[in-house]
Amino acid sequence: MPYFGSEETVKELKRALSNPNIQSDRLRYRNYIFRVIRSMTQGLDVSALFMEMVKASATVDIVQKKLVYLYMCTYASLKPDLVLLAINTLRKDCADPNPMVRGLALRNMCNLRMPGITEYIQQPIMTGLRDKAPYVRRVAVLGCAKMQRLQTLTEIDATIVNELYGMLRDPDPVVMVNCLRALEEILQAEGGVVINKPIAHHLLNRLKDLDSWAQSEVLTFLLRYRPRSEDELFDILSLLDGFLQSGHTPVLAATLRLFLQLAAEHPAVQVDALVRARGPLLNACGAQSRELRFAGLCHVQKILKSQPGQYGAHYKRFFCSYSEPSYIKFRKIEILVELVNDENVGLVLEELRGYCTDVSLELAQAAIAAIGRIGRMYSEKCLDILTGLLGLKQEHITSAVVQTFRDLTWHCPQSTVLVCRAVEGCEETIQDAEGKQALLWLLGVHGGKINSAPYVLEGYINGLKSEMSSAVKVELLTAAVQLFLVRPAEMQDMLGRLLQYCIEEESDMCVRDRAILSYRLLQCGVAETRRVIQGPESDPSMGVIIGRPEEPVSNWVSTFNTLTPLCGRVTSPEPTTSGCTNHTTQNVVADPLAGTSEETEVYTPEDKQGVIGMSLGPTLLHEDFERLWLELKLSLRENLGFPGPRSSPETLQAALQLVKMQTLAFSRADTLPWKAYIYTHCSGTLVLAELLQPTAEPESDGMVLSIKQKPEDRQVLQEFVAVLKTVLQTLIKGTS
Amino acid sequence: MISQVFILTTSGDHLIYKDFRGEAGVDAIRTFYEAVTALSGDQPPVVMSHKGMHFVHVKQGGLYWAASTKSNPSPFTVIEFLNRLAALTKDYCGSLSEKSVRMNFALIYELLDEMVDYGYIQTTSTDMLKNFIQTETMSSKPFSLFELGNVGLFGAETQQSKVAPSAATSRPLMFTRGDQGGNEIFVDVIERLSVIIGSNGVVMKADIEGEIRVKCYLPGCSEMRIGLNEELSIGKSQLRGYGMAVRMDECSFHQAVKLDEFDAYRILKICPSQGEQTVMQYQLCDDLPCAPPFRLFPTVERDIGNRLLIYLKLRCDLSPKSVALNVSVTLPIPKGSVSLSQELSSPDQSAELQSKNKALQWDIPRFPGGAQLSALFKLEVPGLSSASLQEVGPVSLCFELPKHTCTGLQVRFLRLTPTQPGSSQRWVRYVTHSDSYTIRI
């Protein structure tokens, strides 16, 4: 960041550094150099002092030398011509009798990142590789990698590569590891350093001499090696066995990954390794450093995917401590949900119950959701706790509990009766939109079993004018229609009022359209409405709950001990928490398309996200579409592999509109080539699409889909294509 | 491999910035700082990514210690490295604070230069580094061993039962001058206690994580023998000796520890290098050898009107010789609480209502073993209902127990071979901290 008066400072420093009086006083001179470095760190541009600093590098004072070198490395690329002045000093230092000076000079000379430096550093590096001091050799070996990086275009120097492979046998362990690192960089284009049998065995034998940093790195390099025979494999594993118990977490994690990967074909060995590494990993989860704790927890979570039973007995290690930051607490809650079993469920639930009243709203809601997830297997105990929480009459708690109830009845129909009893009377406490939606969903789907359902809906309908969220209004419409089918006498009057208000006074188009749709549907008669509106009350894909599927180790082992497990979002979005509104929507969408067929009644859950994101949005005029179509680059062209639907264009248009895609223009049904233009707004992008059926033979090749998008967003594009395909396929099925 | 390392203050000032690979510019710091300050509670802040750069950071001493990288390295390595860097900085500068880092930036640059080359960790051991580090430490105030402002935090019971000042270890290592006061070695046994006690008084969880830490100022020390309790047993099945056995479930040792006499005599042999290192780590789960140090007997009642009465009786179950320091009791209270009045048993205690956390905090600076303290709190809660009572609790305690280990682990003796010339000072100190001590109501 620029500081005020920075120019003044630079001028002052320049004056001081070139003052002969100061130059002769070692301490004062050094102090001024300190000030230069301090300004540099703070972000001040002090490159104008380069000349003075070069002069300061010719000194016997090593501290001063180090600081000047740091300065030169930072600004070398800005002042390449001035750097050359320093080269002589550096080269002279490379021949100094003191190995520390030699190493220092060589390291910094290689760090000068500027074009044309290579011709000066090549010779010192080659000498450095044969230096008798290991310190200099370490620097020289990495120097080779730096040199290669500076001259990317030139061929790889085979002599250097051979030399480095030879130096893997260097007596100094750091030199050996540096050779691996340098070779890895130099040979990057060819896939990195080759670990063959002699090298692998050499590395394994040297492993004990290395410090823990080097150990974990060598273990990572060894991942590349594939043992030739079973005997060799088990020899290696027994050699590594001790490292599984290492107290140094990086070594432990690297060893564990190597074990899992080497023993990919011996699941029993993998399980054994995981058991042996459990203790040290648990220690990492309780380490004093919070960051280390977090890393440990993220990796335990991976392991739990394959071995949920393994940590069950150690559930207390994952109880949150009150001083922990929330990102650790969230992970711990997730882990508790995953390792729950018959023995520990009672205590885990009691612990989670404690978090529900936490000061942090997010934590409380996460804990409630966690209880809900455990409830899919142990519904009775969880329902007791959740019902108890409703008694607190706290806004955020009640809202989270009702959302959890909704998910629970969807996944676990046997809990419905208790849920219906519990939700009565909690409408007063719920204030936020998500909670209201969840409650309305429950009232709509299970309204027959909730005595007060019509009165609650009446309350919402009376307060419609002050309701802000359109999602709540849409949910209210659905719920009212659904409840009308079950309890017509109580609902008829208020449903009429609701529809009238929504059609005549509502300004939000989504709500209005939904009201009109509902109205017309009701005009078709009760039987028809029932067929369309009433979907399944619980997740039809869930049969009897069988234990959690165990993921094979190979699914996650490639990311084990990398940053990836730590990067993911803490609270993985549950596929249903946001999507329940759409269960009913889906049925509305699916039915008219499917005609009378039963099998297309429910879409697969993957489609949901796509439908959610899209909106008809502002209407696009023909001219605008044409202009955009010509302007934009083609984002995607794909042969769909199936012919166009034979249904009437109106059906197509209606079907697409239901998934929020607007049809702009299409050719008549039997013309060839047949074309249709579609657009939609989706997560801030505009997607334009063209469907083209070139020939009459539907079997020969399918429709061609071309998509243009503004601005580009790959994910949206994929969702769009997925949704469009589903719609078209459904149409084909419906008409054929 | 690490691309850059930087140290920032919480207000975003750059204290140290070193670019090892030239892969990204100084802008990376700003990107990092913006990302780290924009974090809300629910994101994992340890690793952050921005345009192919990953930032890993740890927070220590009120500073961000961050590393950026373009590859996908082991998170454990990077985190441990940053922790090690912070620990070394502490060793060299005496303490870890913005001020000490600012004053010793040249030294930290020098350290970084020797620790990492081209993004690869070269060495982090003080034995190796001390040969290369030339800059002298700038200490904010001259150190004096006799500055006894803070006596009593730790106790030392070896030797002449002198007391080592707790500030004694916040002193830079002086490699260049080994004469004055440099002949000391500290062995600390530190335990962290996490306990959950249910509302019925049953201990639901009790874990101890302990470590033996050696901080060595001796310029040259060939071997040190640390003798632990002979009746120490490790694992569930093994039992040694008779009477009060000291038990631990698992333990692990520093690479350099020689264990040939451990099985028979419980002696650790190590050649300590200068600076601080953790020699042994151990855990004990679910089975405290003694009663948990604190018991709470709470009573929560509704008084007339909107008043809530909370009566807390806290008993310290330590032996009368021990004492607990800086005990702080935090009790979550109903959201609507507006005012608090209290009756405490002695004037040095204090209690306050923390409206931000919706909790009341009761601080007891000194709590002797065997004593029982009580406090009465009256809370004004408008709209008090029976549901509000459920919002009270759980109580969490923070404290420090000097001269006490919950496992009972003791250092029997501490011998240096060959015997150091001159007067070498050996200190053994014990302390137990509360990692998380929760009592449900």
Side-chain angles (χ1 to χ4, degrees):
Chain A
M1 59 196 100
Y3 280 85
F4 288 114
S6 61
E7 277 171 41
E8 291 300 306
T9 318
V10 173
K11 252 184 227 158
E12 189 205 322
L13 285 169
K14 196 170 188 134
R15 222 176 297 129
L17 285 172
S18 47
N19 182 341
N21 287 332
I22 292 176
Q23 280 175 355
S24 58
D25 183 346
R26 232 188 70 192
L27 274 178
R28 274 179 77 194
Y29 196 36
R30 198 208 263 188
N31 266 338
Y32 274 103
I33 289 168
F34 268 48
R35 279 190 57 191
V36 174
I37 304 293
R38 186 168 291 159
S39 318
M40 184 179 90
T41 308
Q42 283 168 349
L44 195 67
D45 183 9
V46 285
S47 60
L49 301 169
F50 209 93
M51 197 65 199
E52 286 71 26
M53 293 297 274
V54 169
K55 278 191 199 133
S57 71
T59 170
V60 285
D61 181 356
I62 291 195
V63 178
Q64 184 174 333
K65 236 186 220 310
K66 285 185 176 174
L67 290 176
V68 174
Y69 288 161
L70 175 71
Y71 174 92
M72 288 203 281
C73 295
T74 313
Y75 292 115
S77 47
L78 297 176
K79 306 263 177 182
D81 42 337
L82 291 177
V83 172
L84 296 181
L85 295 173
I87 293 269
N88 261 334
T89 324
L90 283 163
R91 289 187 68 149
K92 207 165 77 221
D93 281 351
C94 284
D96 197 278
N98 182 351
M100 191 160 79
V101 177
R102 288 203 298 273
L104 180 69
L106 185 57
R107 180 168 61 226
N108 285 291
M109 204 147 84
C110 301
N111 278 346
L112 295 168
R113 282 180 285 267
M114 52 171 261
I117 190 84
T118 40
E119 53 177 308
Y120 300 101
I121 60 174
Q122 192 159 20
Q123 187 51 44
I125 286 179
M126 295 314 280
T127 331
L129 287 176
R130 290 189 194 83
D131 201 290
K132 57 183 186 303
Y135 182 69
V136 183
R137 290 202 300 274
R138 293 174 190 174
V139 171
V141 167
L142 284 182
C144 297
K146 295 177 193 170
M147 188 163 67
Q148 181 64 36
R149 173 98 184 275
L150 288 170
Q151 42 175 13
T152 37
L153 296 175
T154 46
E155 297 252 313
I156 295 165
D157 188 344
T159 52
I160 287 188
V161 172
N162 285 338
E163 181 95 31
L164 290 177
Y165 269 120
M167 282 178 79
L168 284 174
R169 310 227 165 244
D170 194 282
D172 184 74
V174 182
V175 173
M176 181 188 90
V177 183
N178 277 357
C179 281
L180 281 177
R181 295 156 166 169
L183 282 169
E184 175 73 9
E185 296 222 358
I186 294 172
L187 300 173
Q188 207 168 29
E190 299 170 14
V193 55
V194 179
I195 308 279
N196 57 22
K197 189 168 171 178
I199 293 180
H201 286 219
H202 173 66
L203 293 177
L204 284 164
N205 289 329
R206 292 286 301 270
L207 214 50
K208 285 200 178 61
D209 310 334
L210 307 176
D211 71 346
S212 45
W213 308 110
Q215 275 173 356
S216 57
E217 209 154 329
V218 167
L219 287 166
T220 313
F221 276 115
L222 281 171
L223 286 172
R224 274 182 213 179
Y225 180 63
R226 292 271 156 272
R228 306 282 164 75
S229 64
E230 294 255 300
D231 288 347
E232 193 191 351
L233 171 73
F234 285 105
D235 283 348
I236 293 177
L237 292 183
S238 59
L239 198 67
L240 293 173
D241 201 55
F243 293 100
L244 269 184
Q245 302 275 303
S246 167
H248 194 73
T249 327
V251 177
L252 160 80
T255 316
L256 183 57
R257 179 170 172 196
L258 185 58
F259 248 85
L260 295 177
Q261 223 146 306
L262 282 179
E265 281 145 35
H266 304 271
V269 178
Q270 285 184 327
V271 172
D272 189 51
L274 288 170
V275 171
R276 287 172 57 76
R278 183 173 59 202
L281 257 180
L282 280 171
N283 292 346
C285 295
Q288 198 159 24
S289 153
R290 287 163 166 188
E291 292 79 10
L292 199 63
R293 260 188 220 192
F294 178 68
L297 289 171
C298 294
H299 283 84
V300 165
Q301 218 178 357
K302 290 273 167 212
I303 295 174
L304 277 175
K305 284 190 177 166
S306 306
Q307 298 279 317
Q310 247 197 37
Y311 286 80
H314 299 271
Y315 63 98
K316 285 184 184 170
R317 293 292 195 90
F318 301 102
F319 284 2
C320 300
S321 93
Y322 67 96
S323 54
E324 278 170 334
S326 56
Y327 63 91
I328 289 185
K329 287 183 178 166
F330 285 128
R331 286 277 170 179
K332 285 192 166 174
I333 290 180
E334 278 181 30
I335 289 177
L336 283 175
V337 170
E338 277 165 54
L339 52 72
V340 92
N341 60 29
D342 292 350
E343 281 98 58
N344 60 27
V345 63
L347 286 165
V348 168
L349 282 174
E350 196 173 322
E351 180 71 15
L352 285 173
R353 163 74 180 76
Y355 306 152
C356 294
T357 45
D358 197 272
V359 187
S360 153
L361 300 189
E362 289 90 14
L363 186 72
Q365 283 167 343
I368 292 168
I371 294 177
R373 271 165 63 201
I374 294 177
R376 292 179 199 172
M377 288 172 84
Y378 302 95
S379 51
E380 217 165 293
K381 291 187 182 115
C382 296
L383 279 170
D384 280 350
I385 295 179
L386 292 172
T387 314
L389 286 171
L390 287 177
L392 290 176
K393 303 260 179 222
Q394 293 272 318
E395 257 175 63
H396 66 280
I397 294 180
T398 310
S399 162
V401 169
V402 171
Q403 289 174 56
T404 308
F405 275 159
R406 172 192 62 191
D407 295 352
L408 206 53
T409 54
W410 179 252
H411 287 285
C412 182
Q414 68 271 26
S415 59
T416 313
V417 181
L418 282 172
V419 166
C420 290
R421 210 175 299 152
V423 292
E424 296 210 37
C426 62
E427 70 276 358
E428 284 155 25
T429 332
I430 299 178
Q431 298 299 328
D432 62 324
E434 269 108 52
K436 284 183 188 170
Q437 285 177 59
L439 179 64
L440 287 169
W441 188 87
L442 280 170
L443 291 174
V445 176
H446 301 294
K449 304 180 202 94
I450 306 173
N451 288 334
S452 64
Y455 311 104
V456 177
L457 283 185
E458 186 161 31
Y460 277 107
I461 290 169
N462 292 340
L464 200 60
K465 282 204 179 80
S466 53
E467 178 57 58
M468 304 303 285
S469 156
S470 53
V472 172
K473 291 180 195 167
V474 170
E475 194 63 60
L476 178 61
L477 274 166
T478 316
V481 175
Q482 278 174 326
L483 196 60
F484 169 71
L485 297 174
V486 189
R487 300 163 82 162
E490 293 153 292
M491 288 301 298
Q492 190 170 16
D493 177 50
M494 63 175 99
L495 179 61
R497 271 190 290 140
L498 175 67
L499 287 174
Q500 186 182 14
Y501 173 83
C502 286
I503 292 170
E504 287 174 5
E505 289 179 50
E506 180 58 48
S507 55
D508 188 303
M509 283 304 137
C510 275
V511 180
R512 208 179 73 102
D513 287 352
R514 174 59 72 93
I516 292 174
L517 177 74
S518 307
Y519 181 67
R520 296 202 178 135
L521 202 56
L522 287 166
Q523 280 183 323
C524 302
V526 172
E528 187 68 11
T529 314
R530 179 167 288 140
R531 199 178 56 75
V532 172
I533 289 279
Q534 277 186 335
E537 291 179 356
S538 63
D539 187 350
S541 65
M542 303 267 293
V544 192
I545 295 171
I546 332 142
R548 263 155 303 188
E550 289 181 12
E551 216 179 292
V553 172
S554 57
N555 275 13
W556 47 262
V557 76
S558 59
T559 59
F560 197 78
N561 198 22
T562 65
L563 296 179
T564 322
L566 279 76
C567 283
R569 276 195 54 80
V570 182
T571 41
S572 54
E574 272 288 290
T576 54
T577 41
S578 63
C580 273
T581 346
N582 299 286
H583 297 312
T584 43
T585 321
Q586 233 80 73
N587 298 320
V588 177
V589 170
D591 274 10
L593 303 185
T596 52
S597 61
E598 293 288 321
E599 71 269 40
T600 47
E601 193 158 57
V602 180
Y603 279 134
T604 45
E606 283 81 29
D607 299 338
K608 276 183 296 199
Q609 274 85 12
V611 186
I612 300 162
M614 286 185 228
S615 74
L616 294 170
T619 324
L620 208 60
L621 293 174
H622 281 261
E623 303 89 83
D624 292 335
F625 187 97
E626 208 172 308
R627 185 173 50 78
L628 280 170
W629 187 259
L630 292 174
E631 265 174 24
L632 293 173
K633 275 208 316 281
L634 195 67
S635 306
L636 179 101
R637 170 158 284 162
E638 193 182 328
N639 193 322
L640 292 178
F642 51 81
R646 280 150 191 276
S647 49
S648 72
E650 286 73 25
T651 323
L652 178 68
Q653 188 175 10
L656 287 173
Q657 209 146 22
L658 277 165
V659 291
K660 304 274 162 56
M661 289 182 199
Q662 190 77 11
T663 324
L664 189 88
F666 42 82
S667 10
R668 221 169 294 147
D670 39 3
T671 47
L672 275 175
W674 181 88
K675 275 186 189 174
Y677 289 96
I678 304 163
Y679 71 85
T680 184
H681 297 270
C682 187
S683 327
T685 74
L686 177 66
V687 186
L688 309 178
E690 178 199 57
L691 282 168
L692 176 69
Q693 170 81 45
T695 49
E697 264 76 22
E699 290 79 20
S700 59
D701 43 277
M703 266 188 302
V704 178
L705 170 68
S706 321
I707 296 180
K708 302 187 179 188
Q709 197 185 15
K710 180 188 164 184
E712 296 245 1
D713 184 340
R714 281 271 114 181
Q715 208 190 335
V716 169
L717 200 65
Q718 277 160 13
E719 276 175 17
F720 174 83
V721 174
V723 173
L724 185 62
K725 275 186 188 167
T726 321
V727 171
L728 291 172
Q729 275 163 338
T730 320
L731 273 180
I732 293 165
K733 242 188 261 169
T735 50
S736 58
Chain B
M1 66 204 94
I2 294 161
S3 185
Q4 299 158 310
V5 168
F6 42 90
I7 305 176
L8 300 184
T9 64
T10 38
S11 55
D13 285 348
H14 309 176
L15 297 182
I16 296 287
Y17 164 70
K18 192 154 168 71
D19 188 356
F20 291 106
R21 296 176 63 87
E23 289 171 330
V26 197
D27 303 347
I29 305 186
R30 208 179 53 230
T31 317
F32 166 78
Y33 185 70
E34 277 167 9
V36 85
T37 44
L39 285 173
S40 67
D42 58 341
Q43 283 165 291
V46 180
V47 178
M48 290 178 295
S49 301
H50 180 80
K51 289 193 184 151
M53 279 304 260
H54 304 287
F55 297 100
V56 181
H57 82 274
V58 303
K59 209 172 169 193
Q60 282 209 18
L63 302 170
Y64 294 115
W65 306 69
S68 68
T69 171
K70 281 214 156 157
S71 56
N72 196 357
S74 155
F76 295 110
T77 307
V78 184
I79 291 170
E80 283 279 49
F81 167 73
L82 292 171
N83 282 335
R84 180 72 189 143
L85 175 64
L88 274 173
T89 310
K90 194 176 165 210
D91 278 353
Y92 275 87
C93 305
S95 64
L96 205 60
S97 67
E98 184 179 335
K99 193 173 173 195
S100 65
V101 171
R102 247 183 226 285
M103 290 181 78
N104 292 293
F105 75 99
L107 184 120
I108 296 169
Y109 272 127
E110 206 178 353
L111 270 174
L112 270 174
D113 203 32
E114 299 297 340
M115 284 164 79
V116 183
D117 189 10
Y118 203 43
Y120 298 106
I121 302 168
Q122 301 290 299
T123 180
T124 60
S125 94
T126 26
D127 286 336
M128 300 270 255
L129 287 170
K130 72 177 173 195
N131 303 320
F132 299 106
I133 303 303
Q134 305 274 327
T135 317
E136 287 194 9
T137 311
M138 312 259 206
S139 192
S140 47
K141 55 173 187 256
F143 169 75
S144 135
L145 186 66
F146 304 103
E147 189 192 303
L148 298 171
N150 214 359
V151 183
L153 263 182
F154 290 108
E157 285 185 353
T158 54
Q159 299 183 336
Q160 312 91 338
S161 84
K162 268 203 296 184
V163 174
S166 66
T169 42
S170 58
R171 170 160 61 97
L173 300 175
M174 278 169 285
F175 297 117
T176 41
R177 300 161 278 159
D179 46 4
Q180 33 148 340
N183 275 336
E184 288 178 307
I185 190 155
F186 294 86
V187 175
D188 294 343
V189 182
I190 300 163
E191 296 191 343
R192 288 181 293 131
L193 191 62
S194 54
V195 171
I196 298 175
I197 299 176
S199 46
N200 49 2
V202 176
V203 179
M204 295 172 66
K205 169 191 164 173
D207 289 354
I208 300 170
E209 308 233 354
E211 60 186 29
I212 300 181
R213 232 186 258 168
V214 172
K215 182 144 188 174
C216 176
Y217 290 101
L218 301 172
C221 173
S222 54
E223 191 179 67
M224 180 172 69
R225 288 150 59 90
I226 306 174
L228 304 177
N229 315 40
E230 272 193 276
E231 59 273 20
L232 168 67
S233 58
I234 293 158
K236 300 260 184 224
S237 51
Q238 195 190 10
L239 263 181
R240 285 167 79 103
Y242 303 95
M244 278 289 284
V246 175
R247 250 179 26 75
M248 49 184 69
D249 287 342
E250 273 169 37
C251 61
S252 59
F253 302 94
H254 190 274
Q255 260 185 317
V257 178
K258 288 201 274 304
L259 294 169
D260 46 339
E261 287 182 59
F262 185 73
D263 272 344
Y265 306 109
R266 298 299 186 214
I267 294 172
L268 306 174
K269 289 201 285 189
I270 186 171
C271 304
S273 46
Q274 281 189 309
E276 193 173 279
Q277 56 219 295
T278 302
V279 173
M280 174 180 175
Q281 287 175 297
Y282 57 91
Q283 288 82 35
L284 178 63
C285 295
D286 270 346
D287 188 15
L288 282 185
C290 52
F294 290 99
R295 284 275 174 187
L296 183 78
F297 305 96
T299 325
V300 182
E301 283 170 15
R302 273 181 83 164
D303 202 10
I304 28 145
N306 286 328
R307 192 188 282 172
L308 196 61
L309 285 182
I310 301 174
Y311 182 67
L312 299 180
K313 198 158 70 173
L314 189 63
R315 193 177 75 204
C316 179
D317 285 343
L318 296 172
S319 77
K321 276 189 291 182
S322 311
V323 68
L325 297 178
N326 301 329
V327 183
S328 148
V329 183
T330 312
L331 172 69
I333 48 173
K335 203 162 56 164
S337 313
V338 283
S339 70
L340 169 76
S341 68
Q342 70 245 28
E343 285 169 30
L344 304 173
S345 51
S346 80
D348 56 340
Q349 299 171 25
S350 64
E352 59 173 350
L353 184 72
Q354 294 175 317
S355 43
K356 199 183 76 190
N357 299 334
K358 292 184 286 173
L360 75 81
Q361 192 177 333
W362 175 24
D363 290 320
I364 307 152
R366 196 180 156 82
F367 200 154
Q372 182 163 305
L373 295 179
S374 53
L376 178 66
F377 301 101
K378 290 178 189 158
L379 282 170
E380 202 67 47
V381 191
L384 185 70
S385 67
S386 57
S388 321
L389 289 180
Q390 291 192 46
E391 288 180 63
V392 179
V395 175
S396 48
L397 259 74
C398 249
F399 53 84
E400 197 173 320
L401 310 175
K403 299 193 236 174
H404 182 87
T405 53
C406 282
T407 49
L409 187 72
Q410 301 275 330
V411 175
R412 270 189 299 148
F413 60 81
L414 194 62
R415 270 177 218 141
L416 303 172
T417 43
T419 323
Q420 293 289 312
S423 58
S424 63
Q425 305 263 14
R426 291 164 287 165
W427 302 102
V428 180
R429 310 184 294 181
Y430 304 95
V431 69
T432 300
H433 292 285
S434 61
D435 186 34
S436 165
Y437 197 96
T438 309
I439 304 170
R440 301 240 174 84
I441 289 188

